[in-house]
Amino acid sequence: MQYPPTLSRDALVDLAINRYFAHVDAKDMATVLDCFNDEALLTTQTSFTTHAGKPAIERMFADLFGAWETLVHKDFTITVDEMNGRIAASFEAVLTDADGGVTHLFNTNFWRVRDGRFQEVHVYMSGANVLV
């Protein structure tokens, strides 16, 4: 799906919540990666970890998808700067491992969108970094 260079508020929310997080939860790698520009950066600010470029981001998501039986992102509070292509969202991530153990994280993501896709993602995570 091609996005226009400048997205409306609704399209920015759709990109972050319906295209990105819904497909992270579904472990749909192709759709998740389609949300990123080729040279995008994904940084977990709270652990000083950066994944540069789609291949590194893909490897990070492959590890995340393999480590957890289910992923659920919910209870979003979203702020959008439509003029500058910026999105911020605070939310709860509920991660369940194969043994039924549950990890709750309360995170905030900040996105910078360029040409309809994520150019930068900055993650502030409440617990141990699961995006390694």
Side-chain angles (χ1 to χ4, degrees):
M1 172 182 224
Q2 286 290 345
Y3 286 99
T6 303
L7 300 180
S8 68
R9 181 190 191 290
D10 289 344
L12 287 164
V13 171
D14 181 64
L15 175 63
I17 306 307
N18 300 322
R19 295 258 321 141
Y20 178 66
F21 276 126
H23 290 92
V24 167
D25 291 353
K27 299 184 181 183
D28 176 357
M29 183 71 79
T31 303
V32 169
L33 290 178
D34 189 52
C35 295
F36 290 87
N37 285 309
D38 289 342
E39 68 285 355
L41 299 173
L42 189 151
T43 300
T44 303
Q45 298 292 144
T46 46
S47 66
F48 310 105
T49 305
T50 297
H51 305 282
K54 263 191 187 178
I57 293 168
E58 180 176 19
R59 195 248 348 122
M60 180 211 69
F61 277 113
D63 290 350
L64 178 71
F65 295 166
W68 301 97
E69 194 68 24
T70 62
L71 306 162
V72 176
H73 295 82
K74 63 181 189 169
D75 299 333
F76 295 97
T77 301
I78 301 166
T79 302
V80 174
D81 176 356
E82 183 178 344
M83 291 291 294
N84 294 298
R86 312 268 193 209
I87 313 159
S90 295
F91 55 92
E92 181 180 6
V94 182
L95 313 174
T96 306
D97 65 28
D99 296 327
V102 178
T103 298
H104 294 267
L105 299 169
F106 298 91
N107 300 348
T108 301
N109 284 14
F110 296 88
W111 294 274
R112 184 171 71 87
V113 175
R114 184 180 52 78
D115 297 328
R117 290 186 168 80
F118 302 144
Q119 183 60 38
E120 297 173 21
V121 180
H122 299 276
V123 179
Y124 290 80
M125 196 169 295
S126 66
N129 183 10
V130 298
L131 304 176
V132 292

